[in-house]
Amino acid sequence: MKILILNGPNLNRLGKREPDIYGSATMEECLATLRTDFPNVELEYAQSNHEGELIDIMQQASDGDMAGIVLNAGAYTHTSVALLDCIRSLSIPVVEVHLSNVHAREDFRHKSLISSACKGIVAGFGMNSYRLAVEALVRLAAAK
């Protein structure tokens, strides 16, 4: 089974960016833990600060052999109709992920434009949010 973990803008700065909100762990550390926790799952990772590139990556994943996508779209969560349309067009499930509890933050972060197209949402558990999302996709695939 293959799952794509895809991060959007500014998430290349994890471990450095606002550690009081996002923690001090890097994405590389998170991926190492996930690969240990899910030894039978091939986890691929990509990150882009560019909306169109995120769309290209998701379309390629859906057209390939991925079982699902864990998507932390960052700020695009709250602004991108293009990502919404892309997710709706995919043949694989997408789980929306946020490190912080977006509903405990600024009002503009309370609205997700992509949620309605996603299979589910995990938010507020720091890097553990990725693990919970991968687990959800593994269980979805096993239930098929």
Side-chain angles (χ1 to χ4, degrees):
M1 170 185 292
K2 292 172 75 172
I3 292 175
L4 172 65
I5 297 173
L6 181 59
N7 277 345
N10 299 307
L11 292 166
N12 56 312
R13 306 285 297 163
L14 288 174
K16 300 175 187 173
R17 175 188 178 204
E18 299 176 277
D20 54 316
I21 295 173
Y22 302 106
S24 58
T26 66
M27 195 63 206
E28 291 75 21
E29 293 168 331
C30 178
L31 290 167
T33 300
L34 290 172
R35 288 184 174 116
T36 299
D37 291 348
F38 297 97
N40 298 322
V41 178
E42 185 178 336
L43 296 171
E44 291 192 15
Y45 175 71
Q47 186 277 329
S48 179
N49 292 319
H50 306 282
E51 185 178 37
E53 188 173 353
L54 294 170
I55 290 168
D56 290 343
I57 292 168
M58 285 193 290
Q59 289 173 348
Q60 289 167 4
S62 182
D63 292 344
D65 57 354
M66 292 291 167
I69 300 171
V70 172
L71 174 63
N72 185 340
Y76 287 138
T77 300
H78 318 290
T79 64
S80 181
V81 173
L83 287 180
L84 169 66
D85 289 345
C86 174
I87 296 166
R88 284 184 175 158
S89 78
L90 302 179
S91 61
I92 58 176
V94 175
V95 175
E96 178 182 344
V97 164
H98 301 283
L99 296 168
S100 67
N101 177 355
V102 292
H103 298 288
R105 296 184 62 196
E106 304 94 337
D107 286 347
F108 72 87
R109 295 186 195 276
H110 298 182
K111 175 70 174 159
S112 169
L113 295 185
I114 65 173
S115 291
S116 66
C118 292
K119 185 67 176 175
I121 304 162
V122 180
F125 297 100
M127 289 294 196
N128 201 35
S129 294
Y130 290 101
R131 187 188 60 74
L132 294 167
V134 170
E135 182 178 339
L137 289 172
V138 168
R139 288 176 184 261
L140 281 172
K144 282 188 175 182

